[in-house]
């Protein structure tokens, strides 16, 4: 297993953020306008609005994963655009990245951390559940309409 390292957002990594996420979204779903807006403008849509993006580097493979925290309200963030390149799957990259992004959300003062997904992403949903996310109908009602593909909404429970 290659060593994994977290990197904070830098403008020179914006293309990696786009490509990693466009790969998995395009393979499983249709890239929606909401996806394009965030992936093509990560600084304006995430960073400048008080969110963050983390990247995972795998030794010998380079940047293989990315995940964003999009600020959607005071003390509230959406965990979004979490992807791992197909070539790096099965190496616990997603789990490593998920724990790092939860820690980063706590550092940013998140009192509410949620995500939107789809039942087709069963492996990701299992990973989220294992990390402490629970299914939440309120999150679905409040934010689910952002994506046509969304049929799963979860919120992070700290205890």
């Amino acid at each position: 297993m290659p060593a994994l390292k977290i990197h904070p957002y830098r403008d020179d990594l914006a293309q990696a953020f786009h490509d990693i996420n466009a790969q998995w979204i395009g393979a499983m779903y249709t890239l929606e306008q909401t996806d394009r807006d965030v992936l093509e403008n990560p600084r304006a849509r995430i960073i400048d609005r008080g969110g963050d993006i983390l990247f995972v580097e795998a030794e010998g493979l380079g940047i293989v994963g990315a995940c964003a925290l999009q600020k959607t309200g005071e003390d509230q963030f959406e965990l979004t655009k979490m992807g791992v390149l197909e070539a790096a799957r099965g190496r616990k990259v997603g789990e490593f990245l998920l724990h790092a992004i939860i820690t980063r959300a706590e550092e940013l003062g998140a009192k509410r951390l949620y995500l939107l997904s789809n039942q087709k992403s069963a492996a990701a949903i299992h990973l989220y559940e294992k990390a402490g996310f629970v299914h939440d109908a309120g999150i679905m009602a409040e934010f689910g309409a952002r994506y046509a593909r969304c049929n799963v909404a979860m919120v992070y429970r700290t205890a």
Side-chain angles (χ1 to χ4, degrees):
M1 288 294 218
L4 302 176
K5 182 179 177 186
I6 295 292
H7 292 276
Y9 179 82
R10 301 185 320 252
D11 287 329
D12 66 314
L13 293 175
Q15 191 64 49
F17 178 66
H18 176 279
D19 294 349
I20 289 166
N21 282 287
Q23 181 189 79
W24 77 262
I25 295 169
M28 294 185 71
Y29 308 103
T30 299
L31 209 59
E32 298 180 36
Q33 188 58 49
T34 301
D35 299 314
R36 283 190 214 77
D37 289 344
V38 170
L39 296 178
E40 294 170 6
N41 305 291
R43 172 162 288 288
R45 293 295 308 274
I46 303 288
I47 303 300
D48 292 347
R49 294 181 180 186
D52 206 354
I53 301 171
L54 298 182
F55 296 86
V56 177
E57 177 184 2
E59 186 179 13
L61 297 174
I63 299 296
V64 296
C67 186
L69 291 170
Q70 188 168 19
K71 190 167 186 174
T72 58
E74 192 171 330
D75 305 326
Q76 174 177 277
F77 293 84
E78 178 186 356
L79 186 156
T80 188
K81 305 298 179 271
M82 182 169 157
V84 173
L85 290 176
E86 195 170 333
R89 292 190 190 140
R91 300 171 191 255
K92 303 285 185 189
V93 173
E95 188 173 345
F96 183 76
L97 179 57
L98 181 57
H99 289 292
I101 206 79
I102 290 169
T103 298
R104 183 65 182 127
E106 291 166 348
E107 291 169 356
L108 291 172
K111 291 193 169 97
R112 189 177 188 206
L113 176 62
Y114 68 93
L115 60 87
L116 304 171
S117 191
N118 184 286
Q119 293 168 339
K120 268 176 67 174
S121 299
I125 291 167
H126 176 71
L127 181 63
Y128 300 140
E129 290 169 340
K130 194 169 134 185
F133 283 85
V134 295
H135 296 264
D136 190 287
I139 295 292
M140 179 61 81
E142 191 172 350
F143 300 105
R146 282 188 62 204
Y147 298 96
R149 68 179 173 265
C150 179
N151 62 14
V152 172
M154 303 176 85
V155 67
Y156 184 68
R157 300 277 188 235
T158 55

